[in-house]
Each structure stands twice: as C-alpha cells, then as structure tokens.
Amino acid sequence: NLVERLFAEITRQKIRRGLAAMEHGLGDKPFCFGPGFTLADIACGYALGYLDQGLPEFEWRGANPKLARHYDRLMARESFRKTDPAKT
C-alpha cells in the first residue's frame, strides 16, 4: 500500500544520508577514527554487513566507494571473517 511504500522510501533516504555522512567522515583515512582500528570500525563494518545481509537489494557501494573499500579491508581481517553470519 501507499503508506508502506512511502515509509520504505523514507527509510532508504535516511540510510543514504547516514552512509553519506560515514563516507565523508572516513575520507581518505585508513580507519574511521584515529590512526588505528577501533570500535568505530567494528560498528561501521557491522552496519555495512547488515546492509549486505539484511537489505541485499539496497545498493550502497556505488555511491560510497570509500566505505566499500573500507568494508572490503575490514572483511579481509580474520576477526571479521570469523564472525561473518553469511559464512557461519
């Protein structure tokens, strides 16, 4: 119905804005906050992994290439690979 479609579109817009803020904040840095791996990187990886797993039709990588690269680097870490729900 119309209300559900509008709600879904508003939700997608919020996700896009959040991703744009994350993309901007990451910039060209190797990590989300500071010179090394932190809880911010874990949270970022979890959020992006959720999009891949929970909303596979939501294409976020094309509009956020820096985040996509960061997520790929995170997924190369053994700790991320071991906890990837798609692999367990």
Side-chain angles (χ1 to χ4, degrees), residues 28-46:
D28 293 322
K29 300 178 298 202
F31 297 102
C32 290
F33 183 77
F37 182 75
T38 67
L39 183 57
D41 298 289
I42 295 171
C44 177
Y46 179 85

Side-chain angles (χ1 to χ4, degrees), residues 4-32:
E4 290 173 351
R5 287 194 312 269
L6 288 173
F7 180 75
E9 181 54 33
I10 290 168
T11 300
R12 285 189 294 273
Q13 289 175 7
K14 287 180 180 181
I15 293 170
R16 284 187 198 100
R17 284 194 304 269
L19 290 171
M22 291 168 65
E23 173 93 356
H24 178 74
L26 178 62
D28 293 322
K29 300 178 298 202
F31 297 102
C32 290

